[in-house]
Amino acid sequence: MKRVAVLISGRGSNMRALIAAASAPGFPAKIVLVISNVVSAEGLHFAAEAGIATQVIPHKAYRSREEFDHALNGVLEAAGIEIVCLAGFMRILSDWFAKRWQGRLLNIHPSLLPLFKGVHVHEQALQAGVRVSGCTVHFVVPELDAGPIIAQTTVPVEMEDTPEILAARVLGEEHKLYPAALKMLAEGKVRLENGRAVFAR
Ligand code: GRF
């Protein structure tokens, strides 16, 4: 069983979905640590109640991105973490960190990448007038929201959608997709090789 840390900054609904999935018998990964850079992140309470170790690493306590990332790396290594899942973690990680964890660092993004990177994702989708949107789980690389794609799910975009309505529809799919992608990585069904996601047959 792979030892997994989930990094959050807020609500943590994807973190909850990962914890729920990983608690099922036979799941190849165990969520052993939840880290937040924000002390008030709601997700921390749920994780603690679920009996999972939590840690706050306030980014403001560090002089630079690299110093924060080294502290984060130290905590992950001390806990024997093998896979890191970003789940609404609102910090850009340094190139050093992304390279240090490459192939073992996942993110979920609420669009069909490579469309609509960054923030205000659902506004971007509605503005573009797409008829489908969705979510993507990808390996993290130094460039933001640009890593090799592991899995995607689509949802329809309806005429009366607001960013909030579309976000909720996408989020429902995120909660299924992220555990599925983590399972694939933990089982060795996908790996990062020469900058591409390679899938086992
Ligand atoms: C999700 O939509 C995720 O795709 C994005 O940030 C949001 C986090 O939500 N990266 P939650 O904290 O998991 O509820």
Side-chain angles (χ1 to χ4, degrees):
M1 264 219 269
K2 296 284 184 191
R3 292 173 65 78
V4 176
V6 183
L7 272 51
I8 64 169
S9 297
R11 178 177 60 184
S13 71
N14 277 291
M15 174 211 74
R16 287 210 298 272
L18 290 169
I19 292 171
S23 70
F27 196 87
K30 189 174 188 268
I31 314 299
V32 296
L33 180 60
V34 170
I35 298 175
S36 173
N37 63 314
V38 177
V39 67
S40 58
E42 298 154 56
L44 286 170
H45 301 290
F46 182 91
E49 274 166 26
I52 295 167
T54 62
Q55 188 149 348
V56 177
I57 308 177
H59 60 269
K60 286 186 184 144
Y62 298 87
R63 278 176 303 183
S64 68
R65 196 175 293 288
E66 282 69 24
E67 273 185 34
F68 171 78
D69 285 4
H70 276 87
L72 177 60
N73 183 62
V75 170
L76 294 169
E77 287 192 345
I81 298 302
E82 299 168 283
I83 296 173
V84 178
C85 292
L86 307 182
F89 184 66
M90 302 303 286
R91 291 292 299 167
I92 293 174
L93 294 162
S94 61
D95 291 9
W96 173 80
F97 188 92
K99 286 188 185 130
R100 169 77 188 75
W101 286 90
Q102 71 177 350
R104 304 184 295 145
L105 179 57
L106 302 185
N107 182 42
I108 187 156
H109 184 78
S111 76
L112 294 174
L113 290 174
L115 289 175
F116 316 135
K117 296 175 178 176
V119 292
H120 306 303
V121 174
H122 305 294
E123 284 88 341
Q124 291 187 57
L126 293 177
Q127 183 67 34
V130 291
R131 301 301 311 280
V132 292
S133 191
C135 47
T136 303
V137 177
H138 63 93
F139 286 113
V140 174
V141 297
E143 193 188 333
L144 188 68
D145 296 332
I149 293 169
I150 297 173
Q152 294 182 301
T153 306
T154 58
V155 304
V157 178
E158 308 291 355
M159 228 167 56
E160 56 282 358
D161 276 354
T162 61
E164 293 72 29
I165 292 170
L166 180 55
R169 190 178 305 125
V170 172
L171 192 65
E173 295 304 322
E174 291 183 44
H175 295 162
K176 294 180 243 170
L177 189 68
Y178 212 170
L182 173 59
K183 184 166 186 276
M184 286 169 70
L185 179 63
E187 280 175 340
K189 297 228 165 97
V190 64
R191 63 183 195 281
L192 182 64
E193 210 176 273
N194 300 325
R196 297 191 68 96
V198 177
F199 300 89
R201 283 176 213 282

